[in-house]
Coordinates of all heavy atoms in Angstrom, one line a residue:
I149 N 98.2 117.8 109.5 CA 97.0 117.7 108.8 C 95.8 117.4 109.7 O 94.7 117.9 109.6 CB 97.1 116.6 107.6 CG1 98.1 117.1 106.6 CG2 95.8 116.3 107.0 CD1 98.5 116.0 105.6
A150 N 96.0 116.4 110.6 CA 94.9 116.0 111.5 C 94.5 117.2 112.4 O 93.3 117.4 112.6 CB 95.4 114.9 112.4
L151 N 95.4 118.0 112.8 CA 95.1 119.2 113.6 C 94.4 120.3 112.9 O 93.6 121.1 113.4 CB 96.4 119.7 114.3 CG 97.0 118.7 115.4 CD1 98.3 119.3 115.9 CD2 96.0 118.6 116.6
T152 N 94.8 120.5 111.6 CA 94.3 121.7 110.9 C 93.2 121.4 109.9 O 92.3 122.2 109.7 CB 95.5 122.3 110.1 OG1 96.1 121.3 109.2 CG2 96.6 122.8 111.1
L153 N 93.3 120.3 109.2 CA 92.3 120.0 108.2 C 91.3 118.8 108.6 O 90.2 118.7 108.0 CB 93.0 119.6 106.9 CG 93.9 120.7 106.3 CD1 94.6 120.2 105.1 CD2 93.0 121.9 105.8
G154 N 91.7 118.0 109.5 CA 90.9 116.9 109.9 C 91.1 115.6 109.1 O 91.7 115.6 108.1
R155 N 90.6 114.5 109.6 CA 90.8 113.2 109.0 C 89.9 112.9 107.9 O 90.0 111.8 107.3 CB 90.7 112.1 110.1 CG 91.8 112.2 111.2 CD 91.8 111.0 112.0 NE 92.9 111.1 113.0 CZ 93.3 110.1 113.8 NH1 92.7 108.9 113.7 NH2 94.2 110.2 114.7
E156 N 89.0 113.8 107.5 CA 88.1 113.7 106.4 C 88.7 114.3 105.1 O 88.2 114.1 104.0 CB 86.8 114.3 106.7 CG 86.1 113.7 107.9 CD 85.8 112.2 107.8 OE1 85.5 111.7 106.7 OE2 86.1 111.5 108.8
H157 N 89.8 115.1 105.3 CA 90.3 115.8 104.1 C 91.1 114.8 103.2 O 91.7 113.8 103.7 CB 91.3 116.9 104.6 CG 91.6 117.9 103.6 ND1 92.7 117.8 102.7 CD2 91.0 119.1 103.2 CE1 92.7 118.8 101.9 NE2 91.7 119.6 102.2
V158 N 91.2 115.2 101.9 CA 91.9 114.3 101.0 C 93.4 114.2 101.3 O 94.0 113.1 101.1 CB 91.7 114.8 99.5 CG1 92.4 116.2 99.3 CG2 92.2 113.8 98.5
L159 N 94.0 115.2 101.9 CA 95.4 115.1 102.2 C 95.6 114.0 103.3 O 96.7 113.3 103.3 CB 95.9 116.4 102.7 CG 96.1 117.5 101.6 CD1 96.6 118.8 102.2 CD2 97.1 117.0 100.5
W160 N 94.7 113.9 104.2 CA 94.8 112.8 105.2 C 94.7 111.5 104.6 O 95.5 110.6 104.9 CB 93.8 113.0 106.3 CG 93.8 111.8 107.3 CD1 93.1 110.7 107.2 CD2 94.7 111.7 108.4 NE1 93.4 109.8 108.2 CE2 94.4 110.4 109.0 CE3 95.6 112.5 109.0 CZ2 95.1 109.9 110.1 CZ3 96.3 112.0 110.2 CH2 96.0 110.8 110.7
E161 N 93.8 111.3 103.7 CA 93.6 110.1 103.0 C 94.8 109.7 102.2 O 95.3 108.6 102.1 CB 92.4 110.1 102.0 CG 91.0 110.2 102.7 CD 89.9 110.3 101.7 OE1 90.1 110.6 100.5 OE2 88.8 110.0 102.1
I162 N 95.4 110.7 101.5 CA 96.6 110.5 100.7 C 97.8 110.0 101.6 O 98.5 109.0 101.3 CB 97.0 111.8 99.9 CG1 96.0 112.1 98.8 CG2 98.4 111.7 99.4 CD1 96.2 113.5 98.2
G163 N 98.0 110.8 102.7 CA 99.1 110.5 103.6 C 98.9 109.1 104.2 O 99.9 108.3 104.4
A164 N 97.7 108.8 104.7 CA 97.5 107.5 105.3 C 97.7 106.3 104.4 O 98.3 105.3 104.7 CB 96.1 107.5 105.9
F165 N 97.2 106.5 103.2 CA 97.2 105.4 102.2 C 98.7 105.1 101.8 O 99.1 104.0 101.7 CB 96.4 105.7 100.9 CG 96.5 104.7 99.8 CD1 96.1 103.4 100.0 CD2 97.2 105.1 98.6 CE1 96.2 102.5 99.0 CE2 97.3 104.2 97.6 CZ 96.8 102.9 97.8
F166 N 99.4 106.2 101.5 CA 100.8 106.0 101.0 C 101.8 105.6 102.1 O 102.8 105.0 101.9 CB 101.3 107.2 100.2 CG 100.7 107.3 98.8 CD1 99.7 108.2 98.5 CD2 101.0 106.3 97.9 CE1 99.1 108.3 97.3 CE2 100.4 106.4 96.6 CZ 99.5 107.3 96.3
S167 N 101.4 106.0 103.4 CA 102.2 105.5 104.5 C 102.0 104.0 104.6 O 103.0 103.2 104.9 CB 101.7 106.2 105.8 OG 102.1 107.5 105.8
Q168 N 100.8 103.5 104.5 CA 100.5 102.0 104.5 C 101.3 101.4 103.4 O 101.9 100.3 103.5 CB 99.1 101.8 104.3 CG 98.7 100.3 104.1 CD 97.3 100.1 103.6 OE1 96.4 100.9 104.0 NE2 97.1 99.1 102.8
L169 N 101.3 102.0 102.2 CA 102.0 101.4 101.0 C 103.5 101.3 101.3 O 104.1 100.3 100.8 CB 101.7 102.3 99.8 CG 101.7 101.6 98.4 CD1 100.6 100.6 98.3 CD2 101.7 102.6 97.3
A170 N 104.0 102.3 102.0 CA 105.5 102.3 102.2 C 105.9 101.1 103.1 O 107.1 100.7 103.0 CB 105.9 103.6 102.9
I171 N 105.0 100.6 103.9 CA 105.4 99.5 104.8 C 105.4 98.1 104.0 O 106.1 97.2 104.4 CB 104.4 99.4 105.9 CG1 104.5 100.7 106.8 CG2 104.7 98.2 106.8 CD1 103.4 100.8 107.8
V172 N 104.6 98.0 103.0 CA 104.4 96.7 102.3 C 105.0 96.7 100.9 O 104.7 95.9 100.1 CB 103.0 96.3 102.2 CG1 102.4 96.1 103.6 CG2 102.1 97.4 101.5
T173 N 105.9 97.7 100.6 CA 106.4 97.8 99.2 C 107.6 96.9 99.1 O 108.8 97.4 98.9 CB 106.8 99.3 98.9 OG1 105.7 100.2 99.2 CG2 107.1 99.5 97.4
F174 N 107.4 95.6 99.1 CA 108.5 94.6 98.9 C 108.4 94.3 97.4 O 107.4 94.2 96.8 CB 108.3 93.4 99.7 CG 108.4 93.6 101.2 CD1 107.3 93.9 102.0 CD2 109.7 93.5 101.8 CE1 107.5 94.0 103.3 CE2 109.8 93.6 103.1 CZ 108.7 93.9 103.9
G175 N 109.6 94.0 96.8 CA 109.7 93.5 95.4 C 109.6 94.6 94.4 O 109.5 94.3 93.2

């Protein structure tokens, strides 16, 4: 996504946000 659409695209925002969420999903 970074190489083809760039970091401003909604898909980058989605991937980055849910990657962060995956690290802190305790409980």
Side-chain angles (χ1 to χ4, degrees):
I149 290 168
L151 290 173
T152 56
L153 299 172
R155 297 192 178 190
E156 302 301 318
H157 196 272
V158 68
L159 287 177
W160 174 268
E161 292 181 340
I162 291 170
F165 175 66
F166 286 109
S167 292
Q168 171 194 327
L169 207 67
I171 298 173
V172 295
T173 313
F174 293 92

